[in-house]
Amino acid sequence: MISDPRAAMADGDDEAARNDAFTRHAAAMRGPLLAYFRRRVHDATECEDLVQEVFLRLTIRGTPDHLDGANGYIFQTAASVLADRHRRRLVRHADDHVVMDTDMHGGSDFDPHRIAAGRQALFAAAAALLTMPERTRTIFLLKRLDGLRYQDIAVQIGISVSAVEKHVVRAMQHLMIHAGEER
C-alpha cells in the first residue's frame, strides 16, 4: 500500500519542528547546565567542555519523542557526562597528578653553553675515573652507580668493610683533585 506523500511530508515537518523546538530549549538550558557542572566540578575550566559534551550527545541521540520531559532528558545526559568524566579521571589517576612548579624544580634551561660545560665535566670525571687504580674505581662505581651497601661490596670483592670505605674516600679525593685541575 502506498502512503500519502502529503502525510509523510507533514510527519517530516512535525519532526523538524520538534527538533527545532528541542534545539531552542536545549540552548536555553546552557546556563543551568553550566551551573550544574560548576557545583560538581572543582575545575571551572572544564565546565564549558562538559556542556558541549552534553550538546554533542543530544545531537547524536536525537530528540526525545515528547518535549514534556526535555529538562529531565537534558540533565540525565549531563549526569551521564559527569559520570563518564569521573570514570576517566579514576582510570587516568588525574587527581594524583601534581603540576610542575618550575621555581621548585628549576626550568628547562637548554643553554648551549650550559650543555657544553656539562659534557666537559662529564668527560673530565670519566677521565679521572680511568686514572684511578682498578680496584678503587670498581668499588667506587659499585657504591655510587650500582648503589650497593659497603657490606655488600665487601662481600663481593672479598675485603673488609673498612677497606671498602677507604677506597671510596680515596676515589672521592681523586675526583676532587682532578675537578680542581680542570678549573
Side-chain angles (χ1 to χ4, degrees):
M1 175 175 182
I2 299 175
S3 62
D4 183 10
R6 285 179 284 167
M9 235 195 311
D11 286 342
D13 289 342
D14 287 344
E15 186 176 337
R18 191 172 64 241
N19 286 344
D20 192 40
F22 182 74
T23 301
R24 281 194 308 275
H25 183 74
M29 293 298 295
R30 184 180 176 283
L33 281 171
L34 274 171
Y36 173 82
F37 287 125
R38 283 187 184 129
R39 284 191 304 272
R40 289 161 177 80
V41 176
H42 297 293
D43 187 3
T45 59
E46 286 186 69
C47 293
E48 190 67 44
D49 292 338
L50 293 170
V51 169
Q52 291 303 316
E53 178 69 22
V54 169
F55 289 148
L56 176 67
R57 289 187 186 186
L58 291 173
T59 302
I60 292 170
R61 289 183 187 158
T63 60
D65 292 335
H66 302 286
L67 293 180
D68 298 336
N71 285 354
Y73 183 71
I74 291 170
F75 279 104
Q76 182 180 12
T77 304
S80 175
V81 166
L82 200 58
D84 287 348
R85 173 194 175 269
H86 178 70
R87 276 192 296 272
R88 268 192 314 274
R89 290 179 63 82
L90 277 178
V91 168
R92 295 177 182 164
H93 300 279
D95 294 330
D96 297 339
H97 297 192
V98 178
V99 176
M100 182 176 157
D101 183 7
T102 55
D103 294 335
M104 187 174 171
H105 300 291
S108 55
D109 186 11
F110 294 109
D111 178 32
H113 299 292
R114 183 171 169 253
I115 292 170
R119 279 194 180 140
Q120 187 177 8
L122 180 63
F123 290 138
L129 278 172
L130 292 175
T131 61
M132 281 183 203
E134 185 177 343
R135 180 176 249 184
T136 302
R137 179 177 56 241
T138 302
I139 291 171
F140 178 77
L141 292 175
L142 286 172
K143 176 65 182 157
R144 295 298 180 172
L145 289 183
D146 295 341
L148 295 179
R149 297 178 317 147
Y150 287 121
Q151 188 173 10
D152 296 335
I153 297 170
V155 169
Q156 185 174 345
I157 301 290
I159 58 175
S160 69
V161 174
S162 175
V164 170
E165 291 171 351
K166 288 177 185 174
H167 278 286
V168 171
V169 168
R170 256 187 252 130
M172 292 297 293
Q173 289 171 341
H174 185 78
L175 289 173
M176 294 302 287
I177 289 169
H178 279 281
E181 290 174 2
E182 289 297 319
R183 291 183 185 180

